[in-house]
Amino acid sequence: ETGRAGRDGRLSHCHLLFDSTTFYKIRSLSHSDGIDEYAMSKFLNQIFSSGNTMGCICSFPKESTSRKFDIKEEVLLTVLTQLEIGEEQYLHLLPQFSVTCTLYFHKTSPQLLADKDILLRSILNKSEMKDGSYVFEVPRVANDMRITMNEVFDRLQKLKFSGELSYELKDPAYCYMILKRPDDLNALSANLTKWLSEVENSKIRKLDAMFALAYYAVKGCKKTDGCSGSEHTPCIQKRIIDYFSKKEGTPDDDYCTPLRKSSSTFLQSDIKVFLQSNSFAKFTPRAVARIMHGISSPAFPAATWAKNHFWGRYMEVDFPVVIEAAKAELVKFVGKGE
Ligand SMILES: [Zn+2]
């Protein structure tokens, strides 16, 4: 961990604890935010679905959406943010709220209250009855009344203080307004997928550069340029300067890391066995690769899948290689009509 020492300007010493298992783990985790173009386009279809009127408050629950598309909540937010601040502004992001509201009436009957209260009238209109209480989606009522969600909550809060009702909120959601519909949803999802994968690649390149540097200091340095004993300040500094003085656009070195860059018959047959023994689940190649790398995801969380025999078994094989191997096996598997 660099950057902590030396802030006070005094001499600091940095100890490098070198262990390639840590490298594998961090490198695997760098792959946990990736999305396939297919999932991205499904997600965009939901964001811009025809039911979502322009200029109205739209929302989707974080947890269930994240599970549905197998995309982490933070990544869903990253995509939304990019749709707001990217080249074109498609959305305006709103504060996050819990959007499903359950109402319990305590004194006056709901209908009598609604006669005197226009907001309650709208709420009753938009509610479904569940176990004797009224359940509604806050954005629907806000859109109906043409007010903000905060104003809905303010009104509910006042009624609560008067002792008339109490309410519960659930389903934390991302909320937004559509400003412009994309002309070409497929092109947009291709672009966003590419952008995310560039972010991921850049993370990976940095990690590989770090590994190569550490590896050099520990194993490769011939101690001819001022290094001595276990002190490698000169060679590390030289390599750091080289790294940062590289002009943008020059191709990166192919950093030497211990990762395996090719598939093997073991990997192929293990994926086959894995698919056969878990035929109840629906996998994408990425989902299989994540399990082989021991990466938790919303649809395949560690809580369930870490017990699996193959969990994290192929961390030492480069992630895209595992995806390709999984793709090949999945094609055969589906081809058999199972
Ligand atoms: Zn050295």
Side-chain angles (χ1 to χ4, degrees), residues 221 227 232 235:
C221 177
C227 298
H232 286 276
C235 74

Side-chain angles (χ1 to χ4, degrees), residues 48-269:
F48 294 105
S49 79
S50 53
N52 289 338
T53 317
M54 250 198 268
C56 283
I57 303 165
C58 308
S59 70
F60 59 85
K62 294 190 207 179
E63 207 196 317
S64 56
T65 310
S66 168
R67 239 182 302 118
K68 179 172 160 196
F69 299 112
D70 200 16
I71 303 175
K72 288 197 311 194
E73 291 177 15
E74 307 91 276
V75 181
L76 295 178
L77 183 58
T78 303
V79 174
L80 285 176
T81 308
Q82 187 64 11
L83 290 171
E84 180 175 39
I85 62 166
E87 274 169 38
E88 287 212 60
Q89 191 179 4
Y90 296 105
L91 310 174
H92 173 55
L93 273 180
L94 301 169
Q96 299 171 26
F97 285 110
S98 294
V99 288
T100 308
C101 182
T102 309
L103 274 190
Y104 308 94
F105 290 92
H106 300 308
K107 290 194 215 156
T108 323
S109 89
Q111 275 70 26
L112 271 179
L113 274 180
D115 283 344
K116 292 176 287 179
D117 190 317
I118 178 166
L119 177 79
L120 271 181
R121 214 175 305 151
S122 166
I123 288 177
L124 297 196
N125 249 325
K126 303 280 176 205
S127 287
E128 275 175 45
M129 291 299 291
K130 268 182 198 154
D131 304 321
S133 28
Y134 293 81
V135 182
F136 69 98
E137 299 293 312
V138 182
R140 287 190 67 191
V141 170
N143 287 335
D144 184 42
M145 299 283 298
R146 299 182 183 281
I147 56 178
T148 65
M149 296 219 276
N150 261 328
E151 288 168 315
V152 177
F153 291 126
D154 280 352
R155 280 294 301 146
L156 287 176
Q157 201 61 20
K158 282 196 187 107
L159 286 162
K160 186 179 166 184
F161 279 126
S162 71
E164 287 290 0
L165 56 80
S166 54
Y167 63 92
E168 269 168 22
L169 290 167
K170 58 174 187 173
D171 299 333
Y174 291 124
C175 306
Y176 60 96
M177 236 177 231
I178 300 178
L179 301 180
K180 178 183 188 271
R181 282 185 189 280
D183 302 324
D184 186 346
L185 218 52
N186 287 332
L188 183 61
S189 53
N191 278 339
L192 283 170
T193 311
K194 191 164 156 259
W195 172 72
L196 274 181
S197 99
E198 274 161 14
V199 172
E200 182 176 302
N201 283 337
S202 131
K203 237 195 273 180
I204 298 270
R205 300 298 295 175
K206 284 179 194 157
L207 188 63
D208 285 359
M210 276 299 298
F211 181 90
L213 170 82
Y215 188 84
Y216 180 81
V218 173
K219 301 255 168 77
C221 177
K222 299 278 186 289
K223 299 180 189 169
T224 52
D225 292 317
C227 298
S228 72
S230 62
E231 293 214 3
H232 286 276
T233 308
C235 74
I236 289 177
Q237 278 177 342
K238 182 181 176 300
R239 290 184 156 236
I240 290 174
I241 290 166
D242 286 350
Y243 177 87
F244 283 107
S245 58
K246 238 187 278 176
K247 279 196 205 75
E248 225 179 305
T250 47
D252 283 311
D253 306 330
D254 202 9
Y255 297 112
C256 186
T257 71
L259 275 165
R260 295 218 327 259
K261 304 271 185 182
S262 61
S263 186
S264 64
T265 46
F266 294 111
L267 173 61
Q268 293 288 353
S269 57

Side-chain angles (χ1 to χ4, degrees), residues 18-31:
F18 186 79
D19 176 10
S20 40
T21 334
T22 322
F23 167 70
Y24 291 135
K25 188 77 211 161
I26 303 173
R27 209 175 187 282
S28 285
L29 287 176
S30 312
H31 289 290

